[in-house]
């Protein structure tokens, strides 16, 4: 270790240059990880908040279920009659509205039964009530956009007026903030013809899905066969959110390439560094240093450079996250950051493996002779 530190000090310029590259790679990996998590949260946080185990869609909806699936009262009642299952309707759609203070917003309308296990409750204001079908509870993103408790939100092209009664936590769907409202009101928004008054129509009793709380003994497969539905776990339903699968694939691919770049960069540097100091290594072998000691010497240098670079890169990514986190979907929890940097360190050290054979195969007599 002492020799490793001496070499780091003597060749500090080269090691600082290499460390700077590791810092930038680690910071980039951390930033990409933050965007991956942030975009995922911005797409499916509302689905993650659902206190359900499964969602039952129409059997014919194999993809984009929230946009294509419609189930009716027959399926809902059938699920409610199944043993070991608690069921409630769920409606999901995208809408646009304007408040009486001229604040224009896009929102994801989540239709739920007031008082059911899907009811989000409130952080402030009044919760949804079956006696107030025009009431709506908005997420924190809509509050940031300027929507306030007491506002009247008019749905564009339908003339349906919604009274903002409360607010709830952060919740979004497809990068659109969520507003929770009674399922009957959601049906008016979904089925009303633009240009007509949604309040004057009697919409069909259909929903996007039936949300389920299924016990261990519930036979969901038999229920699907009997009710012509297709049941998936809530986690599997994430793929039905707009853009979720494509975004995840893109961001994880970028992360994978960065993880592949890190060992190549570190390995190339230490391969060149090992070749340059072969005479010194041969001298150490001639003085009695074991191969294990030379290996430890090389790995110690690599560990110091890579670990220090990863720590500084993590700090840089965290600072950048705090700067841009309020403007773009960015989320980098401490656990995710630590796991990401640990991976960077591991793959970086793996890159030094290409230098180990050169270290262990140094012939002291040949190298000392060549040095003369």
């Amino acid at each position: 270790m002492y020799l490793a530190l001496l070499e780091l000090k003597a060749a500090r310029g080269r090691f600082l240059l290499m460390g700077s590259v590791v810092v930038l790679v680690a910071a980039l990996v951390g930033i990409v990880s933050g965007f991956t998590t942030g975009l995922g949260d911005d797409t499916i946080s509302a689905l993650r908040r659902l206190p359900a185990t499964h969602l039952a869609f129409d059997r014919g909806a194999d993809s984009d279920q929230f946009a294509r699936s419609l189930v009716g009262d027959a399926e809902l009642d059938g699920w409610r009659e199944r043993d070991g299952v608690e069921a409630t309707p769920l409606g999901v759609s995208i809408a646009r509205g304007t408040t009486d203070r001229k604040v224009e917003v896009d929102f994801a309308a989540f239709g739920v039964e007031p008082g059911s296990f899907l009811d989000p409750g409130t952080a402030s204001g009044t919760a949804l009530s079956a006696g107030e079908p025009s009431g709506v509870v908005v997420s924190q993103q809509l509050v940031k956009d300027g929507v306030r408790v007491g506002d009247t939100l008019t749905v564009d092209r339908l003339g349906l007026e919604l009274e903002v009664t409360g607010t709830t936590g952060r919740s979004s769907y497809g990068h659109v903030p969520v507003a929770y409202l009674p399922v009957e009101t959601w049906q008016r928004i979904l089925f009303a013809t633009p240009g007509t008054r949604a309040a004057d129509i009697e919409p069909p009793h259909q929903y996007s899905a039936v949300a389920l709380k299924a016990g261990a003994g519930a036979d969901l497969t038999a229920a699907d066969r009997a009710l012509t539905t297709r049941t998936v776990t809530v986690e599997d339903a994430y793929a039905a959110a707009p853009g979720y699968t494509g975004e995840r694939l893109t961001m994880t691919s970028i992360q994978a390439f960065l993880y592949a770049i890190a060992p190549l960069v570190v390995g190339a540097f230490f391969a060149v560094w090992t070749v340059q100091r072969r005479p010194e290594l041969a001298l150490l072998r001639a003085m009695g240093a074991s191969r294990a000691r030379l290996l430890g010497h090389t790995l110690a240098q690599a560990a110091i450079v890579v670990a220090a670079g990863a720590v500084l890169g993590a700090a840089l990514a965290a600072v950048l996250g705090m700067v841009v986190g309020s403007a773009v979907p960015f989320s980098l929890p401490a656990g995710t950051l630590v796991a990401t940097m640990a991976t960077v360190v591991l793959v970086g050290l793996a890159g030094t493996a290409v230098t180990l054979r050169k270290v262990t195969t140094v012939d002291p007599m040949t190298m000392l002779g060549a040095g003369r």
Side-chain angles (χ1 to χ4, degrees):
M1 178 60 76
Y2 177 68
L3 290 175
L5 294 175
L6 283 180
E7 281 194 337
L8 287 174
K9 182 179 180 181
R12 56 183 174 274
R14 279 174 285 186
F15 282 106
L16 283 174
L17 179 61
M18 182 58 210
S20 299
V21 174
V22 175
V23 169
L24 293 177
V25 171
L28 188 55
V29 172
I31 291 168
V32 171
S33 179
F35 279 121
T36 302
T37 305
L39 287 169
D41 288 343
D42 207 46
T43 304
I44 60 167
S45 61
L47 300 179
R48 283 178 175 159
R49 286 191 63 186
L50 294 178
T53 59
H54 297 77
L55 295 175
F57 296 101
D58 177 65
R59 181 174 293 177
D62 295 329
S63 62
D64 300 327
Q65 289 95 331
F66 290 110
R68 297 181 178 181
S69 172
L70 284 176
V71 295
D73 282 341
E75 291 82 5
L76 175 61
D77 293 339
W79 275 108
R80 283 175 167 168
E81 292 171 359
R82 308 299 296 191
D83 293 334
V85 175
E86 186 178 353
T88 188
L90 170 66
V92 177
S93 61
I94 305 296
R96 182 176 177 82
T98 305
T99 70
D100 50 355
R101 294 183 297 106
K102 306 304 179 184
V103 176
E104 297 182 355
V105 292
D106 295 314
F107 63 95
F110 269 46
V112 301
E113 283 188 337
S116 70
F117 63 82
L118 292 186
D119 191 328
T122 58
S124 65
T126 306
L128 296 176
S129 171
E132 295 184 15
S134 63
V136 59
V137 172
V138 298
S139 61
Q140 287 299 320
Q141 293 98 312
L142 285 171
V143 175
K144 289 176 60 177
D145 290 339
V147 180
R148 301 289 184 267
V149 173
D151 285 354
T152 298
L153 179 62
T154 303
V155 181
D156 289 359
R157 301 189 300 169
L158 301 179
L160 184 64
E161 295 184 348
L162 306 173
E163 184 72 22
V164 180
T165 63
T167 66
T168 186
R170 183 179 177 86
S171 185
S172 59
Y173 169 80
H175 304 299
V176 181
V178 170
Y180 297 89
L181 62 163
V183 68
E184 294 84 1
T185 306
W186 172 83
Q187 290 168 341
R188 295 183 185 278
I189 293 175
L190 181 67
F191 294 110
T193 302
T196 63
R197 284 187 54 82
D200 297 334
I201 71 167
E202 184 60 36
H205 290 188
Q206 291 181 315
Y207 323 97
S208 299
V210 178
L212 308 173
K213 272 188 175 181
D219 191 346
L220 303 182
T221 303
D224 275 338
R225 286 197 300 266
L227 301 172
T228 65
T229 56
R230 181 172 177 268
T231 301
V232 299
T233 64
V234 173
E235 291 76 14
D236 288 340
Y238 294 166
Y244 178 74
T245 302
E247 288 174 357
R248 294 286 293 181
L249 179 61
T250 300
M251 301 307 291
T252 52
S253 297
I254 294 173
Q255 262 188 303
F257 276 110
L258 290 174
Y259 285 137
I261 289 170
L264 293 177
V265 172
V266 175
F269 172 82
F270 277 98
V272 173
W273 174 244
T274 301
V275 170
Q276 290 177 340
R277 63 194 182 102
R278 282 176 72 91
E280 289 82 359
L281 293 174
L283 180 59
L284 290 173
R285 288 283 291 124
M287 293 174 63
S290 66
R291 288 187 175 88
R293 185 172 182 181
L294 294 184
L295 285 176
H297 170 80
T298 302
L299 290 175
Q301 288 181 337
I304 292 171
V305 173
V306 174
V311 170
L312 292 176
L316 183 59
V319 170
L320 184 63
M322 289 188 289
V323 172
V324 305
S326 59
V328 296
F330 188 94
S331 176
L332 193 57
T336 301
L337 181 59
V338 170
T340 300
M341 292 304 113
T343 305
V344 171
V345 172
L346 289 175
V347 297
L349 291 178
T352 64
V354 298
T355 69
L356 299 183
R357 183 175 181 276
K358 294 181 181 297
V359 172
T360 58
T361 57
V362 170
D363 185 345
M365 298 306 297
T366 300
M367 293 306 298
L368 286 175
R372 294 198 211 59

